[in-house]
Structures are given as structure tokens and as C-alpha cells.
Amino acid sequence: FHLWSTTPVSARARKMFNLQQLINKHTDDIAAIITKEQGKTLADARGDVFRGLGLLIYFYYFLIKFI
């Protein structure tokens, strides 16, 4: 946590944007893993991924307000 808290806001926003892009690119792979681990349907697993992605997008836009 200390490293993240001392990272400049612009760098944090950039890292969160990159993470968002990676998750978006690999949504199907992540959903397949969730399906195998938790026994959810693929549609439910995709929903989990998209909800998590929505949180990242929200916090990304929250951070860029401070840049």
C-alpha cells in the first residue's frame, strides 16, 4: 500500500487505464477462469468481469479529476 499511496495520481490513473484495457481485451479468458473456479455460467462470469471493469472505470475517472 505504501508504494501505491506514494505514486503520483497521474501514474496511478495511467496504471488503472492500462489495467482496464487488459481486462477488456481478455474478458472472455477471465470469464472462462471464473466459470471453472466457481461453476458459474459463462454469462454470469462475464457479468462479474464487466462489473469489476465498471468499478475500475469509475475510479479511473475519479482519479483523473485530481490531475
Side-chain angles (χ1 to χ4, degrees):
F1 177 79
H2 177 71
L3 181 61
W4 183 254
S5 66
T6 59
T7 302
V9 173
S10 60
R12 289 188 218 181
R14 198 169 37 254
K15 288 178 186 293
M16 289 182 77
F17 178 78
N18 290 339
L19 180 58
Q20 171 194 341
Q21 296 297 97
L22 282 171
I23 291 172
N24 203 24
K25 180 179 177 182
H26 297 286
T27 296
D28 289 336
D29 296 329
I30 296 167
I33 292 168
I34 292 170
T35 298
K36 288 178 184 177
E37 286 183 350
Q38 299 179 12
K40 293 185 175 193
T41 65
L42 198 52
D44 285 343
R46 280 191 186 113
D48 288 350
V49 175
F50 284 123
R51 280 187 291 281
L53 190 56
L55 285 172
L56 270 176
I57 292 168
Y58 171 80
F59 286 114
Y60 168 75
Y61 284 109
F62 180 78
L63 277 175
I64 62 172
K65 288 181 181 181
F66 295 100
I67 296 176

